[in-house]
Amino acid sequence: MTSVLDEILARFEALPKSDQDALVKTALAATPEKWVPNPGAQASAYFSQADELFYGGAAGSGKSSLLCGTAINDHRKSILFRREYPQIKGLVDETARILGSRNGYNQQDKLWRLPGGNELEFGSVQHEDDKEKYQGRAHDLKGFD
């Protein structure tokens, strides 16, 4: 039994490459969000109304993309953490991929001023005491990857 989505994808894949590219460009222009979640667990997590959400999985499961995408699309002031400072690069690279550039990123401060005026900060908490460095600073999204 073929689903409607399977039928749509089959028709899309039957189009010439130039028509596929034009259709993707049109769809992206009509999408107000910079990032769209993958169907399945990532979409379920993205659209969840929970105040706290735990989303895990192996490398490549979309955790970083989910954090960066929701920070860009839905939050005014976000901070995303990794365990070790050098690992922040993965989050920065994913944000740059989503936005299409590194415009607005201050590498020294690990702070991204996003196109809509929102801010995305990156931090690391390797040791228990490191969390105190971030106390007293309000964020509407705190994510740990």
Side-chain angles (χ1 to χ4, degrees), residues 16-139:
K17 178 76 169 115
S18 60
D19 290 350
Q20 288 180 11
D21 292 344
L23 189 57
V24 167
K25 186 176 179 178
T26 301
L28 289 173
T31 304
E33 289 83 11
K34 292 276 186 192
W35 179 82
V36 177
N38 291 324
Q42 196 179 61
S44 294
Y46 180 71
F47 292 111
S48 172
Q49 296 297 310
D51 291 334
E52 290 186 26
L53 180 70
F54 296 89
Y55 182 90
S61 64
K63 298 179 300 289
S64 296
S65 188
L66 175 64
L67 282 173
C68 295
T70 194
I72 291 166
N73 285 352
D74 303 313
H75 294 276
R76 203 176 67 58
K77 192 164 180 151
S78 304
I79 187 163
L80 305 181
F81 294 98
R82 283 265 171 103
R83 174 70 58 199
E84 298 174 346
Y85 191 73
Q87 297 171 337
I88 291 171
K89 184 180 183 318
L91 295 172
V92 172
D93 290 347
E94 180 61 14
T95 302
R97 186 193 68 77
I98 293 168
L99 295 173
S101 78
R102 292 181 183 268
N103 293 344
Y105 181 60
N106 182 318
Q107 186 171 350
Q108 182 176 348
D109 295 338
K110 302 292 186 235
L111 180 68
W112 210 308
R113 286 182 172 71
L114 300 168
N118 301 350
E119 290 183 359
L120 173 53
E121 184 179 358
F122 302 99
S124 64
V125 183
Q126 185 172 7
H127 306 287
E128 182 67 22
D129 292 344
D130 290 343
K131 66 184 182 185
E132 293 177 18
K133 296 185 291 189
Y134 300 98
Q135 286 183 340
R137 296 170 33 210
H139 294 90

Side-chain angles (χ1 to χ4, degrees), residues 7-21:
E7 186 178 325
I8 291 169
L9 290 173
R11 288 183 183 188
F12 175 79
E13 291 167 0
L15 293 171
K17 178 76 169 115
S18 60
D19 290 350
Q20 288 180 11
D21 292 344

